[in-house]
Amino acid sequence: QNNNGPNETWVGYNKAITLTNNQLPIQQWNTMPQIDTPRILSTTSLRRMFLFCTELTDQKFGNMKNFVLTDLSQNNFYQPVEMFRGCKKFDSDLGLWNTINFTNIYQIFENCIEFTGKGLENWNFTNCFQVGGAFKKCSKFNANVSDWNFSQQVNDVRNMFQDCSKFQGIGIENWSWTGFFPSLNENDNMIYPNGFGNTFNGCSVFNPNNDIIWDVSLCVNFDSMFKNCSLFEGKGLPYWDVSSAGILTDINDSLINLFNPFKEIFLNCTNFNQNLKDWHFPNISRKEDLTNMFNNSGMDVINMTWTLVYWGKSSFNNPTDSSFYDFGMDGVSYYADKYGVNDLSNNHNFRYSS
């Protein structure tokens, strides 16, 4: 607010710097787009700028759509973390934003339930390494993400599209990952496992047109990644290298028990039906790590049996607590008498919930 009166220009940290480097009274914003669009300086922070502005609409946002972001600092303090979080009526076209300096968009649009993602197909993520929760609960979001380029090492994709019930994943098969590394959460100063925990959980129409051939060989966590993706077929997943899953080096001890690398990954994926015989789990060691993997999935008897047979021949570690792995088979059938299936039960302490 301008505490100097309605006719006073803003001073100090309240000033609005325009494209022509003038101070501008708030009353004159958005009247002349050519000159009065606020310019983002290197000392401007976008962090939580519109946090919980529940009445922020496209009309009220106005020429902020023309933000000039080329001077934005890549320092984490100035990044658009939670910038629009909770703006339940927000759905502006942000296609003109130059996002080359975005490094951290953690929860930028979380719970923007009207946000469809207009213009985001033009965004540049070359320098972005933190995208966790970016579109969580954006129930109308369905942008074309074909050209998003994550050339940096991304350290947090957790919850990125969780509960985006309209998100189809158009173009997501074009993404590539140069690597993952553990992420430091600034709120609790804890180091979290990298990977895809809950990334697409609740994306009920998510089903990319082409095979998803991603290099996920450095990813350690896939917990609930596709949970409740009822249309997801899983094309391309048999080729994934998931052998790093379960490596929790440098992770805070108090968090380790919260992460179970494959827990519920295909739970309620009623259209999922792939042969995962080439998946290997050399770093799995806790009974919870595979809990409810296939419950209510669409795995047919052939793919399920071949998967179990080959897993039975692989080098599974026995659970560290001398109990059983239980990955859940509710609603799924397999041939129990095939060699390898019995080997899983007898030699590797597996059991099936059905």
Side-chain angles (χ1 to χ4, degrees):
Q1 293 182 352
N2 177 6
N3 295 323
N4 297 321
N7 297 317
E8 297 289 330
T9 57
W10 282 23
V11 296
Y13 65 87
N14 282 328
K15 63 187 176 183
I17 303 298
T18 69
L19 295 178
T20 53
N21 292 318
N22 295 316
Q23 293 191 39
L24 188 70
I26 187 71
Q27 294 83 359
Q28 295 178 28
W29 280 21
N30 303 331
T31 58
M32 298 180 65
Q34 296 80 6
I35 65 171
D36 71 359
T37 298
R39 180 167 65 90
I40 300 301
L41 304 178
S42 60
T43 54
T44 304
S45 177
L46 302 181
R47 176 180 291 260
R48 298 172 179 160
M49 182 176 278
F50 302 103
L51 179 66
F52 300 133
C53 290
T54 57
E55 298 301 314
L56 182 65
T57 61
D58 180 64
Q59 181 180 8
K60 293 177 181 179
F61 196 61
N63 287 327
M64 303 288 270
K65 291 179 288 188
N66 300 321
F67 261 175
V68 180
L69 297 164
T70 51
D71 292 329
L72 179 68
S73 170
Q74 291 189 4
N75 183 291
N76 196 45
F77 176 78
Y78 302 102
Q79 290 296 303
V81 172
E82 299 181 276
M83 186 177 183
F84 299 100
R85 184 184 177 196
C87 296
K88 295 185 176 182
K89 296 183 179 180
F90 181 75
D91 188 31
S92 288
D93 186 332
L94 303 179
L96 295 178
W97 283 19
N98 182 346
T99 59
I100 186 66
N101 287 322
F102 280 9
T103 61
N104 187 346
I105 60 168
Y106 179 70
Q107 294 183 336
I108 182 175
F109 298 109
E110 182 180 330
N111 207 26
C112 293
I113 58 178
E114 295 294 327
F115 185 62
T116 57
K118 294 191 291 285
L120 264 63
E121 65 273 8
N122 300 322
W123 278 25
N124 187 332
F125 290 102
T126 300
N127 295 307
C128 198
F129 62 87
Q130 167 65 282
V131 294
F135 306 99
K136 183 178 179 181
K137 297 183 180 180
C138 293
S139 54
K140 294 186 178 181
F141 178 83
N142 190 30
N144 186 323
V145 298
S146 301
D147 294 328
W148 289 8
N149 173 26
F150 296 99
S151 60
Q152 281 276 12
Q153 283 192 317
V154 177
N155 68 8
D156 190 3
V157 195
R158 291 174 299 140
N159 311 108
M160 186 177 184
F161 299 105
Q162 185 175 353
D163 294 324
C164 291
S165 55
K166 296 292 179 64
F167 182 59
Q168 297 172 289
I170 301 171
I172 206 167
E173 63 270 21
N174 296 337
W175 290 12
S176 62
W177 309 95
T178 56
F180 292 85
F181 56 95
S183 60
L184 177 65
N185 187 293
E186 61 188 66
N187 294 321
D188 56 20
N189 204 36
M190 293 284 195
I191 297 178
Y192 284 78
N194 62 60
F196 295 99
N198 289 292
T199 300
F200 304 104
N201 184 354
C203 296
S204 54
V205 298
F206 177 78
N207 190 34
N209 291 325
N210 300 308
D211 289 4
I212 307 176
I213 309 295
W214 288 349
D215 180 2
V216 296
S217 58
L218 296 178
C219 181
V220 305
N221 185 38
F222 299 89
D223 183 359
S224 303
M225 182 177 181
F226 300 109
K227 181 179 178 179
N228 296 320
C229 293
S230 55
L231 292 186
F232 181 61
E233 298 175 49
K235 291 176 289 189
L237 265 63
Y239 303 102
W240 283 17
D241 177 1
V242 299
S243 58
S244 291
I247 298 177
L248 299 176
T249 306
D250 297 327
I251 306 304
N252 295 81
D253 291 340
S254 61
L255 296 174
I256 286 180
N257 290 331
L258 300 178
F259 291 91
N260 310 115
F262 294 99
K263 180 181 178 181
E264 299 182 349
I265 181 175
F266 303 117
L267 178 66
N268 297 327
C269 294
T270 53
N271 213 30
F272 178 82
N273 184 29
Q274 299 292 332
N275 185 342
L276 303 180
K277 66 182 180 64
D278 292 324
W279 280 24
H280 300 288
F281 310 98
N283 298 294
I284 296 301
S285 61
R286 299 172 302 165
K287 66 176 183 178
E288 298 87 2
D289 289 347
L290 305 172
T291 301
N292 296 332
M293 277 189 75
F294 298 109
N295 273 356
N296 299 316
S297 70
M299 291 285 277
D300 66 23
V301 65
I302 300 298
N303 281 334
M304 193 71 259
T305 302
W306 274 113
T307 296
L308 296 177
V309 166
Y310 274 78
W311 286 6
K313 296 178 180 180
S314 66
S315 55
F316 264 105
N317 298 307
N318 286 340
T320 53
D321 58 1
S322 300
S323 60
F324 292 86
Y325 291 116
D326 187 350
F327 47 67
M329 303 278 282
D330 289 351
V332 178
S333 300
Y334 59 94
Y335 290 112
D337 60 342
K338 297 297 181 183
Y339 173 74
V341 176
N342 285 327
D343 193 40
L344 271 176
S345 299
N346 299 330
N347 298 336
H348 295 302
N349 286 10
F350 269 76
R351 67 182 179 188
Y352 317 109
S353 58
S354 296

